[in-house]
mmCIF file of all heavy atoms in Angstrom:
data_model
loop_
_atom_site.group_PDB
_atom_site.id
_atom_site.type_symbol
_atom_site.label_atom_id
_atom_site.label_comp_id
_atom_site.label_asym_id
_atom_site.label_seq_id
_atom_site.Cartn_x
_atom_site.Cartn_y
_atom_site.Cartn_z
ATOM 1 N N GLY A 19 -2.198 9.620 -4.446
ATOM 2 C CA GLY A 19 -3.080 8.827 -5.290
ATOM 3 C C GLY A 19 -4.531 8.959 -4.870
ATOM 4 O O GLY A 19 -4.847 9.487 -3.802
ATOM 5 N N GLU A 20 -5.413 8.453 -5.708
ATOM 6 C CA GLU A 20 -6.856 8.544 -5.460
ATOM 7 C C GLU A 20 -7.301 7.802 -4.209
ATOM 8 O O GLU A 20 -8.355 8.101 -3.650
ATOM 9 C CB GLU A 20 -7.620 8.016 -6.674
ATOM 10 C CG GLU A 20 -7.509 8.899 -7.884
ATOM 11 C CD GLU A 20 -8.274 8.341 -9.070
ATOM 12 O OE1 GLU A 20 -9.137 7.466 -8.885
ATOM 13 O OE2 GLU A 20 -8.002 8.787 -10.192
ATOM 14 N N MET A 21 -6.541 6.804 -3.764
ATOM 15 C CA MET A 21 -6.917 6.049 -2.569
ATOM 16 C C MET A 21 -6.326 6.658 -1.304
ATOM 17 O O MET A 21 -6.496 6.120 -0.220
ATOM 18 C CB MET A 21 -6.464 4.589 -2.708
ATOM 19 C CG MET A 21 -7.153 3.867 -3.853
ATOM 20 S SD MET A 21 -6.659 2.131 -4.002
ATOM 21 C CE MET A 21 -4.934 2.288 -4.445
ATOM 22 N N GLY A 22 -5.595 7.786 -1.425
ATOM 23 C CA GLY A 22 -5.020 8.459 -0.268
ATOM 24 C C GLY A 22 -3.542 8.182 -0.058
ATOM 25 O O GLY A 22 -2.925 8.776 0.818
ATOM 26 N N GLN A 23 -2.948 7.309 -0.839
ATOM 27 C CA GLN A 23 -1.545 6.986 -0.676
ATOM 28 C C GLN A 23 -0.651 8.114 -1.182
ATOM 29 O O GLN A 23 -0.984 8.783 -2.146
ATOM 30 C CB GLN A 23 -1.200 5.667 -1.392
ATOM 31 C CG GLN A 23 -1.178 5.744 -2.910
ATOM 32 C CD GLN A 23 -2.528 5.614 -3.574
ATOM 33 O OE1 GLN A 23 -3.547 6.056 -3.059
ATOM 34 N NE2 GLN A 23 -2.543 5.026 -4.758
ATOM 35 N N LYS A 24 0.478 8.318 -0.491
ATOM 36 C CA LYS A 24 1.497 9.252 -0.966
ATOM 37 C C LYS A 24 2.573 8.428 -1.635
ATOM 38 O O LYS A 24 3.073 7.458 -1.065
ATOM 39 C CB LYS A 24 2.128 10.007 0.197
ATOM 40 C CG LYS A 24 1.393 11.206 0.650
ATOM 41 C CD LYS A 24 2.249 11.954 1.663
ATOM 42 C CE LYS A 24 1.563 13.190 2.142
ATOM 43 N NZ LYS A 24 2.391 13.883 3.139
ATOM 44 N N TYR A 25 2.937 8.814 -2.847
ATOM 45 C CA TYR A 25 4.002 8.112 -3.553
ATOM 46 C C TYR A 25 5.346 8.680 -3.123
ATOM 47 O O TYR A 25 5.575 9.884 -3.236
ATOM 48 C CB TYR A 25 3.813 8.234 -5.066
ATOM 49 C CG TYR A 25 2.593 7.494 -5.542
ATOM 50 C CD1 TYR A 25 1.473 8.169 -5.988
ATOM 51 C CD2 TYR A 25 2.557 6.099 -5.517
ATOM 52 C CE1 TYR A 25 0.348 7.482 -6.421
ATOM 53 C CE2 TYR A 25 1.428 5.410 -5.944
ATOM 54 C CZ TYR A 25 0.341 6.106 -6.393
ATOM 55 O OH TYR A 25 -0.767 5.426 -6.798
ATOM 56 N N LEU A 26 6.213 7.811 -2.634
ATOM 57 C CA LEU A 26 7.541 8.204 -2.189
ATOM 58 C C LEU A 26 8.545 7.840 -3.284
ATOM 59 O O LEU A 26 8.194 7.825 -4.453
ATOM 60 C CB LEU A 26 7.849 7.525 -0.852
ATOM 61 C CG LEU A 26 6.823 7.799 0.265
ATOM 62 C CD1 LEU A 26 7.164 7.003 1.512
ATOM 63 C CD2 LEU A 26 6.734 9.287 0.579
ATOM 64 N N ALA A 27 9.768 7.541 -2.916
ATOM 65 C CA ALA A 27 10.793 7.207 -3.906
ATOM 66 C C ALA A 27 10.409 5.935 -4.655
ATOM 67 O O ALA A 27 9.823 5.010 -4.088
ATOM 68 C CB ALA A 27 12.144 7.028 -3.223
ATOM 69 N N GLY A 28 10.753 5.902 -5.924
ATOM 70 C CA GLY A 28 10.473 4.727 -6.734
ATOM 71 C C GLY A 28 11.530 4.569 -7.810
ATOM 72 O O GLY A 28 12.094 5.550 -8.287
ATOM 73 N N GLY A 29 11.793 3.340 -8.139
ATOM 74 C CA GLY A 29 12.758 3.038 -9.183
ATOM 75 C C GLY A 29 12.133 2.139 -10.232
ATOM 76 O O GLY A 29 10.915 2.053 -10.356
ATOM 77 N N ILE A 30 12.977 1.432 -10.946
ATOM 78 C CA ILE A 30 12.517 0.540 -12.002
ATOM 79 C C ILE A 30 11.885 -0.717 -11.427
ATOM 80 O O ILE A 30 10.891 -1.212 -11.937
ATOM 81 C CB ILE A 30 13.698 0.170 -12.926
ATOM 82 C CG1 ILE A 30 14.207 1.431 -13.624
ATOM 83 C CG2 ILE A 30 13.294 -0.891 -13.938
ATOM 84 C CD1 ILE A 30 15.527 1.244 -14.324
ATOM 85 N N ARG A 31 12.419 -1.247 -10.324
ATOM 86 C CA ARG A 31 11.968 -2.532 -9.788
ATOM 87 C C ARG A 31 11.197 -2.447 -8.470
ATOM 88 O O ARG A 31 10.586 -3.427 -8.062
ATOM 89 C CB ARG A 31 13.167 -3.456 -9.611
ATOM 90 C CG ARG A 31 13.787 -3.854 -10.922
ATOM 91 C CD ARG A 31 14.943 -4.824 -10.739
ATOM 92 N NE ARG A 31 15.558 -5.102 -12.013
ATOM 93 C CZ ARG A 31 16.550 -4.392 -12.529
ATOM 94 N NH1 ARG A 31 17.036 -3.366 -11.876
ATOM 95 N NH2 ARG A 31 17.054 -4.710 -13.694
ATOM 96 N N VAL A 32 11.247 -1.313 -7.791
ATOM 97 C CA VAL A 32 10.570 -1.191 -6.506
ATOM 98 C C VAL A 32 10.148 0.262 -6.294
ATOM 99 O O VAL A 32 10.788 1.181 -6.813
ATOM 100 C CB VAL A 32 11.472 -1.690 -5.338
ATOM 101 C CG1 VAL A 32 12.665 -0.781 -5.127
ATOM 102 C CG2 VAL A 32 10.686 -1.873 -4.056
ATOM 103 N N SER A 33 9.048 0.452 -5.559
ATOM 104 C CA SER A 33 8.620 1.808 -5.198
ATOM 105 C C SER A 33 8.064 1.781 -3.779
ATOM 106 O O SER A 33 7.700 0.729 -3.255
ATOM 107 C CB SER A 33 7.564 2.331 -6.180
ATOM 108 O OG SER A 33 6.377 1.578 -6.086
ATOM 109 N N MET A 34 8.025 2.968 -3.173
ATOM 110 C CA MET A 34 7.485 3.101 -1.821
ATOM 111 C C MET A 34 6.291 4.040 -1.845
ATOM 112 O O MET A 34 6.206 4.947 -2.665
ATOM 113 C CB MET A 34 8.545 3.676 -0.875
ATOM 114 C CG MET A 34 9.640 2.711 -0.549
ATOM 115 S SD MET A 34 10.936 3.432 0.494
ATOM 116 C CE MET A 34 10.004 4.239 1.780
ATOM 117 N N ARG A 35 5.383 3.782 -0.906
ATOM 118 C CA ARG A 35 4.249 4.680 -0.725
ATOM 119 C C ARG A 35 3.935 4.738 0.762
ATOM 120 O O ARG A 35 4.271 3.836 1.530
ATOM 121 C CB ARG A 35 3.047 4.236 -1.544
ATOM 122 C CG ARG A 35 2.571 2.841 -1.233
ATOM 123 C CD ARG A 35 1.532 2.406 -2.234
ATOM 124 N NE ARG A 35 1.134 1.028 -1.951
ATOM 125 C CZ ARG A 35 0.313 0.350 -2.695
ATOM 126 N NH1 ARG A 35 -0.209 0.892 -3.774
ATOM 127 N NH2 ARG A 35 -0.015 -0.885 -2.394
ATOM 128 N N LEU A 36 3.271 5.811 1.149
ATOM 129 C CA LEU A 36 2.950 6.059 2.546
ATOM 130 C C LEU A 36 1.442 6.187 2.687
ATOM 131 O O LEU A 36 0.794 6.915 1.931
ATOM 132 C CB LEU A 36 3.625 7.359 3.005
ATOM 133 C CG LEU A 36 3.310 7.855 4.412
ATOM 134 C CD1 LEU A 36 3.887 6.889 5.460
ATOM 135 C CD2 LEU A 36 3.890 9.256 4.612
ATOM 136 N N TRP A 37 0.904 5.457 3.635
ATOM 137 C CA TRP A 37 -0.507 5.589 4.020
ATOM 138 C C TRP A 37 -0.475 6.322 5.349
ATOM 139 O O TRP A 37 0.053 5.814 6.325
ATOM 140 C CB TRP A 37 -1.155 4.213 4.167
ATOM 141 C CG TRP A 37 -1.101 3.435 2.899
ATOM 142 C CD1 TRP A 37 -0.131 2.558 2.520
ATOM 143 C CD2 TRP A 37 -2.035 3.481 1.838
ATOM 144 N NE1 TRP A 37 -0.417 2.047 1.269
ATOM 145 C CE2 TRP A 37 -1.582 2.595 0.832
ATOM 146 C CE3 TRP A 37 -3.227 4.171 1.620
ATOM 147 C CZ2 TRP A 37 -2.272 2.387 -0.355
ATOM 148 C CZ3 TRP A 37 -3.914 3.967 0.437
ATOM 149 C CH2 TRP A 37 -3.438 3.080 -0.527
ATOM 150 N N GLU A 38 -1.005 7.532 5.373
ATOM 151 C CA GLU A 38 -0.838 8.401 6.526
ATOM 152 C C GLU A 38 -2.171 8.743 7.164
ATOM 153 O O GLU A 38 -3.066 9.279 6.502
ATOM 154 C CB GLU A 38 -0.125 9.673 6.066
ATOM 155 C CG GLU A 38 0.443 10.519 7.134
ATOM 156 C CD GLU A 38 1.380 11.570 6.554
ATOM 157 O OE1 GLU A 38 1.108 12.107 5.454
ATOM 158 O OE2 GLU A 38 2.380 11.848 7.214
ATOM 159 N N ASN A 39 -2.308 8.375 8.442
ATOM 160 C CA ASN A 39 -3.496 8.723 9.222
ATOM 161 C C ASN A 39 -4.790 8.226 8.575
ATOM 162 O O ASN A 39 -5.796 8.924 8.555
ATOM 163 C CB ASN A 39 -3.543 10.234 9.470
ATOM 164 C CG ASN A 39 -4.395 10.576 10.670
ATOM 165 O OD1 ASN A 39 -4.500 9.810 11.626
ATOM 166 N ND2 ASN A 39 -5.026 11.732 10.627
ATOM 167 N N GLU A 40 -4.764 7.004 8.057
ATOM 168 C CA GLU A 40 -5.978 6.380 7.502
ATOM 169 C C GLU A 40 -6.947 6.126 8.653
ATOM 170 O O GLU A 40 -6.563 5.568 9.682
ATOM 171 C CB GLU A 40 -5.630 5.067 6.804
ATOM 172 C CG GLU A 40 -4.795 5.242 5.551
ATOM 173 C CD GLU A 40 -5.595 5.842 4.417
ATOM 174 O OE1 GLU A 40 -6.716 5.394 4.156
ATOM 175 O OE2 GLU A 40 -5.066 6.769 3.782
ATOM 176 N N GLN A 41 -8.187 6.503 8.481
ATOM 177 C CA GLN A 41 -9.168 6.419 9.560
ATOM 178 C C GLN A 41 -9.899 5.071 9.560
ATOM 179 O O GLN A 41 -10.036 4.427 8.520
ATOM 180 C CB GLN A 41 -10.169 7.564 9.438
ATOM 181 C CG GLN A 41 -9.534 8.922 9.664
ATOM 182 C CD GLN A 41 -8.869 9.047 11.018
ATOM 183 O OE1 GLN A 41 -9.493 8.819 12.059
ATOM 184 N NE2 GLN A 41 -7.583 9.376 11.027
ATOM 185 N N PRO A 42 -10.385 4.650 10.754
ATOM 186 C CA PRO A 42 -11.120 3.379 10.845
ATOM 187 C C PRO A 42 -12.293 3.342 9.862
ATOM 188 O O PRO A 42 -12.978 4.338 9.659
ATOM 189 C CB PRO A 42 -11.623 3.363 12.288
ATOM 190 C CG PRO A 42 -10.640 4.214 13.035
ATOM 191 C CD PRO A 42 -10.260 5.299 12.059
ATOM 192 N N ALA A 43 -12.467 2.187 9.253
ATOM 193 C CA ALA A 43 -13.543 2.007 8.274
ATOM 194 C C ALA A 43 -13.699 0.527 7.984
ATOM 195 O O ALA A 43 -12.808 -0.274 8.277
ATOM 196 C CB ALA A 43 -13.225 2.757 6.984
ATOM 197 N N GLU A 44 -14.830 0.186 7.424
ATOM 198 C CA GLU A 44 -15.041 -1.192 6.981
ATOM 199 C C GLU A 44 -14.129 -1.464 5.787
ATOM 200 O O GLU A 44 -13.851 -0.563 5.003
ATOM 201 C CB GLU A 44 -16.508 -1.413 6.613
ATOM 202 C CG GLU A 44 -17.424 -1.468 7.816
ATOM 203 C CD GLU A 44 -17.030 -2.549 8.820
ATOM 204 O OE1 GLU A 44 -16.841 -3.702 8.392
ATOM 205 O OE2 GLU A 44 -16.916 -2.236 10.010
ATOM 206 N N PRO A 45 -13.686 -2.693 5.640
ATOM 207 C CA PRO A 45 -12.780 -2.998 4.534
ATOM 208 C C PRO A 45 -13.486 -2.923 3.181
ATOM 209 O O PRO A 45 -14.685 -3.148 3.080
ATOM 210 C CB PRO A 45 -12.316 -4.426 4.826
ATOM 211 C CG PRO A 45 -13.362 -5.003 5.709
ATOM 212 C CD PRO A 45 -13.956 -3.854 6.483
ATOM 213 N N LEU A 46 -12.707 -2.594 2.158
ATOM 214 C CA LEU A 46 -13.194 -2.678 0.786
ATOM 215 C C LEU A 46 -13.278 -4.148 0.402
ATOM 216 O O LEU A 46 -12.695 -5.005 1.081
ATOM 217 C CB LEU A 46 -12.228 -1.955 -0.156
ATOM 218 C CG LEU A 46 -12.115 -0.444 0.028
ATOM 219 C CD1 LEU A 46 -10.981 0.108 -0.830
ATOM 220 C CD2 LEU A 46 -13.430 0.237 -0.315
ATOM 221 N N PRO A 47 -13.956 -4.478 -0.678
ATOM 222 C CA PRO A 47 -13.956 -5.879 -1.120
ATOM 223 C C PRO A 47 -12.524 -6.360 -1.373
ATOM 224 O O PRO A 47 -11.663 -5.575 -1.781
ATOM 225 C CB PRO A 47 -14.752 -5.833 -2.425
ATOM 226 C CG PRO A 47 -15.588 -4.600 -2.326
ATOM 227 C CD PRO A 47 -14.776 -3.618 -1.534
#
Side-chain angles (χ1 to χ4, degrees):
E20 291 180 17
M21 296 181 294
Q23 72 277 34
K24 276 188 179 179
Y25 293 109
L26 304 176
I30 296 168
R31 293 183 184 89
V32 68
S33 66
M34 288 177 48
R35 58 189 177 184
L36 175 67
W37 300 92
E38 195 167 37
N39 202 31
E40 293 289 313
Q41 294 302 305
E44 287 303 309
L46 294 172

